[in-house]
Amino acid sequence: HTLMVLTHLILNDMIKVKGQVCEIAVSLQDKEARIRDMARLLFFELSKRSNNPIYNLLPDIVSRLSQMGIRKDDFRSIMSFLLGFIKKDR
């Protein structure tokens, strides 16, 4: 339920996404399908915004994931998913 509440607050601009984004990214690899799907939904909805928040959040996500000591396969999977939202405009 926590992820659902965070998703609601973030997508309705009630809180900034920056502080919680790494933990939400880790949720992309959760054992529970419901949690994975909610995390995917959040990033999908963020990707629709014009100010490209995923691109701006990537440095923080990479830094924190590197410090967390997660498995390399999980790191690759998370980054692959997130990088899929980055579009080259130039």
Side-chain angles (χ1 to χ4, degrees):
H1 295 304
T2 303
L3 184 56
M4 189 181 313
V5 171
L6 275 175
T7 298
H8 173 75
L9 293 174
I10 291 167
L11 293 178
N12 289 298
D13 293 321
M14 296 172 160
I15 62 171
K16 299 265 184 210
V17 69
K18 195 160 189 103
Q20 300 80 15
V21 73
C22 183
E23 288 77 12
I24 296 171
V26 170
S27 296
L28 292 166
Q29 296 298 308
D30 198 272
K31 291 179 276 190
E32 182 80 31
R34 217 170 36 130
I35 293 173
R36 286 193 311 268
D37 293 343
M38 184 62 66
R40 288 176 196 271
L41 175 67
L42 171 67
F43 287 111
F44 180 74
E45 292 298 325
L46 282 176
S47 74
K48 293 180 183 178
R49 295 190 173 181
S50 62
N51 60 349
N52 204 354
I54 295 176
Y55 176 83
N56 296 326
L57 294 167
L58 274 178
D60 187 49
I61 293 172
V62 170
S63 174
R64 290 183 188 221
L65 286 178
S66 299
Q67 294 171 356
M68 292 176 82
I70 66 170
R71 292 184 10 219
K72 286 182 182 180
D73 290 342
D74 288 342
F75 182 86
R76 279 191 201 111
S77 179
I78 291 167
M79 292 310 299
S80 176
F81 177 77
L82 294 176
L83 289 172
F85 292 113
I86 306 303
K87 295 171 181 61
K88 188 172 181 180
D89 290 338
R90 298 173 190 160

